[in-house]
Amino acid sequence: MTVASVMVFVDPAQQAEEQVRVARSVATKFQASLIGVSAFAVEPDFVGEGVVIQETTPEDLKRMKAELAEKERWFRDVVGLPKERVEWRWDVEYPVAFLANEARAADLVVIRNMYRKVDPYHLVDPAAAVLRIGRPTVLVPERVHELRADRIVVGWKDTREARLAIHDALPFLKQASQVSIIEICTSNEQDRARRGVRDVARHLQRHGAKAETDVRVHTAESDAHQLVRLAKDAGADLIVTGAYGHSRLGEWVFGGMTRGLMDEAPFCLMMSH
C-alpha cells in the first residue's frame, strides 16, 4: 500500500485546526494529495400538537450551502499546500454517510477523536466512521497538530482486524525509526503470543521496518490503559490497531480495548476494520 491521497473531515462550524494540520502533515510526509470534506444534514421539522413549529426554508438551505462552500477558503488557508494538491468536497447530507461515500477516493481518512455522543446532523461519530468507511482511519485527539509517526506502537492480537491494520499501516511502519509490536495476554498464553509477534516482526522486517516485540500479561489496569502507558514510555505518537465493533439497534458498539483507546489515548490512533 502507498498513501497517495489523504481525506480529512472538517466540521462545518469548526474553528480548531487539529485534525486538518495532522492530515496536512501526513500528506506532506508521503507527498500525497489532500481532500477536505464537509457536510451537515437538514434537521427534521419539529412538530408540536400537529403544528409545524420549525421548518427548513429554501433560504435556510441556501445559507447552509453557502456556509459549506465558504469553509473551503478556511481549509485551504490552514493546509497551505499547492492548489493542485488540494481538493474540497461538500454536500447537504449526514456527515458519516457523506464521508463513507467519498472515502472511495482516499487511501487514508483523518477525523477528530470525539468518542462521545455527537450531533449526527453536523459531526462525524468516530465509532460509526471507523466501522463504515472501509479505509484506515487516523483519529486525532484535542491539542494534537502533527503526526510524525517516528515511533509507533502496534497493539496486536492475532485477528483479521489486526492483520488488516498492519497491512494498512505499512507506509508508516517502514519509515518509522522504531516499531514496537505489543500483545497483552494471559499468563498461560505467553508462549503462543511470543511466537505470533515474532512472526509479525519478521514480516515487517522483510518490508524494511525496524520492528521489535513485547508480550505483556494482563494486569489490574485495563489493557487500553496499559498499552497507552507503554506507548508513552516508548515516546510514540501513534498506536496502530484493529477496530473491533458492530452495530446494535442503530448504535455502534466497540469492544473494550478499542473503546478504551479512544477514551484514553492522548495521541493519534490508526484503526482498520
Side-chain angles (χ1 to χ4, degrees), residues 170-225:
L170 270 176
F172 293 87
L173 300 174
K174 289 191 293 186
Q175 290 194 19
S177 67
Q178 177 181 311
V179 176
S180 301
I181 306 158
I182 301 175
E183 180 167 357
I184 302 172
C185 63
T186 61
S187 58
N188 60 358
E189 293 176 319
Q190 292 180 80
D191 290 342
R192 187 271 312 154
R194 290 190 183 99
R195 289 193 300 272
V197 294
R198 282 198 298 266
D199 271 349
V200 176
R202 283 193 291 266
H203 167 67
L204 292 179
Q205 288 161 3
R206 292 182 185 114
H207 284 276
K210 301 175 181 66
E212 58 186 37
T213 66
D214 192 2
V215 171
R216 299 294 178 112
V217 174
H218 297 298
T219 66
E221 64 184 333
S222 71
D223 289 351
H225 186 82

Side-chain angles (χ1 to χ4, degrees), residues 251-270:
E251 178 187 9
W252 296 98
V253 181
F254 271 146
M257 170 68 91
T258 306
R259 182 176 62 248
L261 288 174
M262 293 178 72
D263 282 343
E264 296 191 32
F267 31 67
C268 291
L269 304 171
M270 183 175 176

Side-chain angles (χ1 to χ4, degrees), residues 91-224:
D91 199 2
V92 178
E93 173 61 279
Y94 284 95
V96 171
F98 184 64
L99 180 61
N101 187 61
E102 299 303 310
R104 62 177 177 257
D107 295 308
L108 180 76
V109 174
V110 179
I111 60 176
R112 285 204 286 177
N113 185 10
M114 300 181 295
Y115 191 60
R116 56 183 180 271
K117 190 167 183 61
V118 296
D119 173 4
Y121 300 101
H122 298 87
L123 303 173
V124 163
D125 176 355
V130 168
L131 298 179
R132 284 186 59 182
I133 62 179
R135 291 290 187 268
T137 307
V138 173
L139 285 75
V140 182
E142 293 180 353
R143 295 182 292 279
V144 172
H145 296 85
E146 184 183 17
L147 177 56
R148 296 181 62 244
D150 182 57
R151 295 186 176 187
I152 301 173
V153 162
V154 176
W156 175 259
K157 63 178 178 177
D158 198 4
T159 62
R160 168 195 171 276
E161 289 83 358
R163 296 178 185 193
L164 181 62
I166 286 280
H167 178 267
D168 289 342
L170 270 176
F172 293 87
L173 300 174
K174 289 191 293 186
Q175 290 194 19
S177 67
Q178 177 181 311
V179 176
S180 301
I181 306 158
I182 301 175
E183 180 167 357
I184 302 172
C185 63
T186 61
S187 58
N188 60 358
E189 293 176 319
Q190 292 180 80
D191 290 342
R192 187 271 312 154
R194 290 190 183 99
R195 289 193 300 272
V197 294
R198 282 198 298 266
D199 271 349
V200 176
R202 283 193 291 266
H203 167 67
L204 292 179
Q205 288 161 3
R206 292 182 185 114
H207 284 276
K210 301 175 181 66
E212 58 186 37
T213 66
D214 192 2
V215 171
R216 299 294 178 112
V217 174
H218 297 298
T219 66
E221 64 184 333
S222 71
D223 289 351

